[in-house]
Amino acid sequence: MIETIKTTPYTDQKMGTAGLRKKTKIAMQENYIENFLQSIFNTIPNLENKSFLVGGDGRFYNSVVIQKIIKIASANNVKKLLIAKDGLVSTPAGSHIILKNHLDGAFVLSASHNPGGIDGDFGIKYATSSGGQCQPDESKAIQEEALKIKEYKISNCQDIDLSKTRTTQCENTIIEIIDPYVDYIKLMESIFDFKKIKELLSSDFRFVFDAMNGVTGPYAKKMFEETLNAPKGTVINATPLEDFGGLHPDPNLIYAKHLVDLMYSESAPDFAAANDGDGDRNMILGKSFFVSPSDCLAILTDNYKLIPAYKNGIYGVAKSAATSMAVKKVADALNLGFYEVPTGWKYFINLMDSNRISFCGEESFGTGASHIREKDGIWATLFWLNIIAEKRQSIKDIALSHWKKYGRNYYLRNDFENIPQNVADKLMEDLENSLPSLINQNFSGYIVSDAYPFIYNDPVDKTSTKNGLVVHFTDGSRIVYRLSGTGTSGATLRTYIERYETNNLLEAPETMLEELSKVSRQISKVTELTGKAKPDIIT
């Protein structure tokens, strides 16, 4: 029943910040997925004692690859696979399943916030027993296997029906089809005050949750409409679709424009939230008001005592280097531990496991806590609902009160997309070499006070990671440059622009950061090197 298939390596299977992410048609090449899966299994000892979760966000090609995983895992003598019913599991719920069941890892089939369909993107997030993304040394070992692979093993067992919970078998591997929702809902109930949230959602308070045709649709229906008594129809775009219904399932001001238009209209509800394709990212909106991810992390941290699970205190907070400094002001005021890490959720895991932090977040619409080892869009939404239920204030009033207390870090991210990799690499190399010469230079009134590569020294495992370049100015402003690891074609230069303000608190970020954005392009020479006079995306 087990075959050994001869194959040849693909040279492009280097994992990014959260796994392997490729154009769907690339992933559909002969033996492409098989090679990658076998390469992972080749790095794991004693597979006969190992158990893994399998599921995904419902995008195109997931159902095919789930069957491949079952057959290749079985051929490699994996002890047990827990398969999410209908093949659907969100990234945060998957992390909880790993931790609760003491699994050795997971294969979550998602390209996260990237478009789906045969002309879209496909991805495999490989998680470990930590409940989160595999660490850089593990990614490196997998890539080394992928570059030398000569064969893979696969079983001939029949495809497994995933439509109902049950236990079956393929070769010696136990296959358990599980409900992916019930334990996650219980986890959220153990953190938040469901009674107060239910009272809020049963009142005249109007709330919209946009699942963007991704995997959190069924979770949100069960959570908000069935458990918390929100009116039917509260959850929109609730059915996971292979191409996300043509949506780009990235919850930001550009790709969730339909929700933004609603929230800036006369008929706007009181509160709205959106999740991305696999449920780890979130966007928070009030009436004619947007909460930036950086501010979101800061505001949640400042209000942690309102949440039952955190009322007795939290360990500390961490942010990615690219995220604004807003949460540091809160951490300093509350005497909380504070850490700044490279982009990539995996860098938070050691800090959580060693009880150094409870909350963490990234500017790329990701906020989470140590209840799991991934960012969590529904958790962030429930946190906001719990705050509103306690304070009975609007989103705008909550944010304005926070800015009056701490000041506002105006913030924008400028993305320059589809840059040839060699051009992007040269841009970053030239910029890094120029950093020492920038100090004390005056750029349109912005005087550089410091400039350096961001280097993170993990306090737990003592590893050192370089991730991005940072330029500070004498007035407290800041620019961070880095290349993104989440795209599937070319390179994306991301430029993060930040200015601190204590007086003008309700201006448009684009207005407040217009001159500093020009300075960021002048310093990086992005227009000169790429021909791009302005960013492709501003968020």
Side-chain angles (χ1 to χ4, degrees), residues 267-291:
S267 58
D270 299 287
F271 173 59
N275 277 190
D276 70 337
D278 68 324
D280 56 1
R281 299 189 180 205
N282 74 91
M283 178 171 68
I284 301 297
L285 295 162
K287 287 185 177 181
S288 300
F289 195 82
F290 164 67
V291 182

Side-chain angles (χ1 to χ4, degrees), residues 289-333:
F289 195 82
F290 164 67
V291 182
S292 78
S294 295
D295 281 332
C296 180
L297 177 61
I299 292 169
L300 297 190
T301 301
D302 194 43
N303 288 281
Y304 75 83
K305 289 184 179 179
L306 298 180
I307 308 303
Y310 311 124
K311 64 182 180 181
N312 293 325
I314 60 175
Y315 292 115
V317 64
K319 73 174 191 71
S320 68
T323 302
S324 91
M325 300 299 286
V327 74
K328 186 178 189 304
K329 293 180 174 59
V330 177
D332 290 346

Side-chain angles (χ1 to χ4, degrees), residues 105-265:
F107 298 88
V108 177
L109 307 183
S110 174
S112 192
H113 53 286
N114 291 15
I118 193 168
D119 294 316
D121 297 338
F122 181 82
I124 300 178
K125 291 185 174 184
Y126 171 55
T128 63
S129 59
S130 69
Q133 303 165 6
C134 65
Q135 295 298 310
D137 58 338
E138 294 166 309
S139 297
K140 182 180 178 182
I142 293 166
Q143 185 189 16
E144 288 173 352
E145 287 292 326
L147 289 172
K148 65 183 182 183
I149 190 169
K150 294 181 179 179
E151 62 183 31
Y152 64 87
K153 298 177 182 178
I154 191 165
S155 169
N156 288 324
C157 68
Q158 293 184 342
D159 285 359
I160 303 294
D161 179 7
L162 307 181
S163 65
K164 56 185 178 181
T165 57
R166 64 192 179 102
T167 301
T168 184
Q169 200 157 325
C170 175
E171 305 302 341
N172 293 320
T173 302
I174 299 170
I175 311 294
E176 184 179 352
I177 315 302
I178 64 167
D179 183 321
Y181 310 112
V182 60
D183 287 339
Y184 179 77
I185 293 173
K186 288 180 180 177
L187 175 64
M188 294 298 105
E189 193 169 8
S190 74
I191 297 172
F192 300 103
D193 190 333
F194 269 33
K195 181 180 178 181
K196 285 191 175 178
I197 296 174
K198 185 180 290 187
E199 290 173 356
L200 176 71
L201 297 182
S202 300
S203 69
D204 59 358
F205 179 84
R206 294 176 59 215
F207 163 51
V208 171
F209 182 92
D210 188 350
M212 302 191 81
N213 297 321
V215 75
T216 54
Y219 286 90
K221 295 283 283 188
K222 293 176 184 293
M223 183 80 72
F224 299 120
E225 295 184 10
E226 298 175 22
T227 305
L228 291 169
N229 289 355
K232 291 188 181 302
T234 292
V235 182
I236 62 174
N237 295 315
T239 302
L241 300 175
E242 288 191 339
D243 65 348
F244 303 108
L247 292 179
H248 187 144
D250 193 352
N252 61 41
L253 296 172
I254 296 170
Y255 295 125
K257 187 176 183 301
H258 57 281
L259 187 63
V260 175
D261 288 346
L262 171 64
M263 294 306 294
Y264 280 77
S265 71

Side-chain angles (χ1 to χ4, degrees), residues 32 69 255 447:
Y32 193 90
I69 293 172
Y255 295 125
I447 302 171

Side-chain angles (χ1 to χ4, degrees), residues 48-69:
E48 68 277 5
N49 298 320
K50 299 295 196 295
S51 300
F52 300 91
L53 169 70
V54 181
D57 61 11
R59 69 178 58 229
F60 179 81
Y61 204 46
N62 273 16
S63 59
V64 173
V65 173
I66 288 174
Q67 300 297 337
K68 290 179 186 286
I69 293 172

